[in-house]
PDB file of all heavy atoms in Angstrom:
ATOM      1  N   TYR A  52      -6.273 -40.213 -13.880  1.00  0.00           N
ATOM      2  CA  TYR A  52      -6.093 -39.393 -12.688  1.00  0.00           C
ATOM      3  C   TYR A  52      -5.958 -37.939 -13.120  1.00  0.00           C
ATOM      4  O   TYR A  52      -5.210 -37.620 -14.039  1.00  0.00           O
ATOM      5  CB  TYR A  52      -4.852 -39.844 -11.919  1.00  0.00           C
ATOM      6  CG  TYR A  52      -4.891 -41.307 -11.521  1.00  0.00           C
ATOM      7  CD1 TYR A  52      -4.480 -42.295 -12.412  1.00  0.00           C
ATOM      8  CD2 TYR A  52      -5.343 -41.687 -10.263  1.00  0.00           C
ATOM      9  CE1 TYR A  52      -4.524 -43.630 -12.068  1.00  0.00           C
ATOM     10  CE2 TYR A  52      -5.389 -43.026  -9.905  1.00  0.00           C
ATOM     11  CZ  TYR A  52      -4.982 -43.993 -10.807  1.00  0.00           C
ATOM     12  OH  TYR A  52      -5.028 -45.318 -10.455  1.00  0.00           O
ATOM     13  N   GLY A  57      -3.066 -24.651 -13.965  1.00  0.00           N
ATOM     14  CA  GLY A  57      -3.569 -23.294 -13.788  1.00  0.00           C
ATOM     15  C   GLY A  57      -2.576 -22.307 -14.368  1.00  0.00           C
ATOM     16  O   GLY A  57      -1.364 -22.427 -14.158  1.00  0.00           O
ATOM     17  N   LEU A  58      -3.075 -21.335 -15.094  1.00  0.00           N
ATOM     18  CA  LEU A  58      -2.225 -20.352 -15.766  1.00  0.00           C
ATOM     19  C   LEU A  58      -2.716 -18.945 -15.477  1.00  0.00           C
ATOM     20  O   LEU A  58      -3.925 -18.677 -15.515  1.00  0.00           O
ATOM     21  CB  LEU A  58      -2.235 -20.578 -17.271  1.00  0.00           C
ATOM     22  CG  LEU A  58      -1.772 -21.943 -17.785  1.00  0.00           C
ATOM     23  CD1 LEU A  58      -2.197 -22.128 -19.235  1.00  0.00           C
ATOM     24  CD2 LEU A  58      -0.266 -22.078 -17.658  1.00  0.00           C
ATOM     25  N   PHE A  81      14.466 -33.027 -26.789  1.00  0.00           N
ATOM     26  CA  PHE A  81      14.406 -34.243 -27.620  1.00  0.00           C
ATOM     27  C   PHE A  81      13.311 -34.082 -28.678  1.00  0.00           C
ATOM     28  O   PHE A  81      12.278 -34.758 -28.624  1.00  0.00           O
ATOM     29  CB  PHE A  81      14.136 -35.473 -26.746  1.00  0.00           C
ATOM     30  CG  PHE A  81      15.125 -35.675 -25.638  1.00  0.00           C
ATOM     31  CD1 PHE A  81      14.879 -35.166 -24.355  1.00  0.00           C
ATOM     32  CD2 PHE A  81      16.307 -36.363 -25.861  1.00  0.00           C
ATOM     33  CE1 PHE A  81      15.789 -35.353 -23.334  1.00  0.00           C
ATOM     34  CE2 PHE A  81      17.223 -36.558 -24.842  1.00  0.00           C
ATOM     35  CZ  PHE A  81      16.967 -36.044 -23.578  1.00  0.00           C
ATOM     36  N   SER A 200       6.180 -31.150  23.169  1.00  0.00           N
ATOM     37  CA  SER A 200       5.185 -32.222  23.180  1.00  0.00           C
ATOM     38  C   SER A 200       3.795 -31.720  22.832  1.00  0.00           C
ATOM     39  O   SER A 200       2.949 -32.483  22.375  1.00  0.00           O
ATOM     40  CB  SER A 200       5.157 -32.895  24.562  1.00  0.00           C
ATOM     41  OG  SER A 200       4.843 -31.935  25.567  1.00  0.00           O
ATOM     42  N   LEU A 208      -5.482 -22.677   9.315  1.00  0.00           N
ATOM     43  CA  LEU A 208      -6.147 -22.112   8.140  1.00  0.00           C
ATOM     44  C   LEU A 208      -6.965 -23.206   7.471  1.00  0.00           C
ATOM     45  O   LEU A 208      -6.425 -24.241   7.062  1.00  0.00           O
ATOM     46  CB  LEU A 208      -5.120 -21.559   7.152  1.00  0.00           C
ATOM     47  CG  LEU A 208      -5.651 -21.160   5.772  1.00  0.00           C
ATOM     48  CD1 LEU A 208      -6.632 -19.996   5.876  1.00  0.00           C
ATOM     49  CD2 LEU A 208      -4.500 -20.810   4.832  1.00  0.00           C
ATOM     50  N   PRO A 228       6.679  -3.037  12.099  1.00  0.00           N
ATOM     51  CA  PRO A 228       6.563  -1.907  13.027  1.00  0.00           C
ATOM     52  C   PRO A 228       5.412  -0.991  12.630  1.00  0.00           C
ATOM     53  O   PRO A 228       5.037  -0.898  11.451  1.00  0.00           O
ATOM     54  CB  PRO A 228       7.918  -1.203  12.887  1.00  0.00           C
ATOM     55  CG  PRO A 228       8.860  -2.263  12.411  1.00  0.00           C
ATOM     56  CD  PRO A 228       8.034  -3.152  11.529  1.00  0.00           C
ATOM     57  N   GLY A 230       3.127   1.806  11.371  1.00  0.00           N
ATOM     58  CA  GLY A 230       3.319   2.779  10.311  1.00  0.00           C
ATOM     59  C   GLY A 230       4.012   2.235   9.077  1.00  0.00           C
ATOM     60  O   GLY A 230       4.097   2.938   8.067  1.00  0.00           O
ATOM     61  N   GLU A 231       4.505   0.993   9.127  1.00  0.00           N
ATOM     62  CA  GLU A 231       5.192   0.407   7.983  1.00  0.00           C
ATOM     63  C   GLU A 231       4.313  -0.640   7.312  1.00  0.00           C
ATOM     64  O   GLU A 231       3.412  -1.207   7.917  1.00  0.00           O
ATOM     65  CB  GLU A 231       6.513  -0.226   8.415  1.00  0.00           C
ATOM     66  CG  GLU A 231       7.531   0.774   8.940  1.00  0.00           C
ATOM     67  CD  GLU A 231       8.888   0.140   9.148  1.00  0.00           C
ATOM     68  OE1 GLU A 231       9.107  -0.990   8.673  1.00  0.00           O
ATOM     69  OE2 GLU A 231       9.749   0.781   9.796  1.00  0.00           O
ATOM     70  N   CYS A 256       2.632 -24.657  14.192  1.00  0.00           N
ATOM     71  CA  CYS A 256       2.946 -24.173  15.530  1.00  0.00           C
ATOM     72  C   CYS A 256       3.875 -22.972  15.395  1.00  0.00           C
ATOM     73  O   CYS A 256       4.890 -23.041  14.684  1.00  0.00           O
ATOM     74  CB  CYS A 256       3.621 -25.283  16.342  1.00  0.00           C
ATOM     75  SG  CYS A 256       3.641 -24.965  18.116  1.00  0.00           S
ATOM     76  N   GLN A 270      -7.165 -12.160  -8.979  1.00  0.00           N
ATOM     77  CA  GLN A 270      -8.250 -11.575  -9.756  1.00  0.00           C
ATOM     78  C   GLN A 270      -8.973 -10.460  -9.018  1.00  0.00           C
ATOM     79  O   GLN A 270      -9.863  -9.813  -9.577  1.00  0.00           O
ATOM     80  CB  GLN A 270      -9.239 -12.666 -10.161  1.00  0.00           C
ATOM     81  CG  GLN A 270     -10.213 -12.308 -11.266  1.00  0.00           C
ATOM     82  CD  GLN A 270      -9.539 -12.018 -12.582  1.00  0.00           C
ATOM     83  OE1 GLN A 270      -9.467 -10.863 -12.978  1.00  0.00           O
ATOM     84  NE2 GLN A 270      -9.047 -13.028 -13.270  1.00  0.00           N
ATOM     85  N   VAL A 340      -6.000 -15.454  27.038  1.00  0.00           N
ATOM     86  CA  VAL A 340      -4.700 -16.111  26.984  1.00  0.00           C
ATOM     87  C   VAL A 340      -4.081 -15.932  25.602  1.00  0.00           C
ATOM     88  O   VAL A 340      -2.898 -15.689  25.438  1.00  0.00           O
ATOM     89  CB  VAL A 340      -4.839 -17.609  27.318  1.00  0.00           C
ATOM     90  CG1 VAL A 340      -3.500 -18.306  27.213  1.00  0.00           C
ATOM     91  CG2 VAL A 340      -5.407 -17.776  28.722  1.00  0.00           C
ATOM     92  N   VAL A 341      -4.919 -16.037  24.572  1.00  0.00           N
ATOM     93  CA  VAL A 341      -4.498 -15.764  23.203  1.00  0.00           C
ATOM     94  C   VAL A 341      -5.340 -14.611  22.700  1.00  0.00           C
ATOM     95  O   VAL A 341      -6.540 -14.587  22.910  1.00  0.00           O
ATOM     96  CB  VAL A 341      -4.721 -16.989  22.292  1.00  0.00           C
ATOM     97  CG1 VAL A 341      -4.249 -16.702  20.884  1.00  0.00           C
ATOM     98  CG2 VAL A 341      -3.998 -18.201  22.857  1.00  0.00           C
TER      99      VAL A 341
END
Side-chain angles (χ1 to χ4, degrees):
Y52 303 85
L58 301 165
F81 304 94
S200 59
L208 170 64
E231 295 189 13
C256 196
Q270 196 63 253
V340 178
V341 181

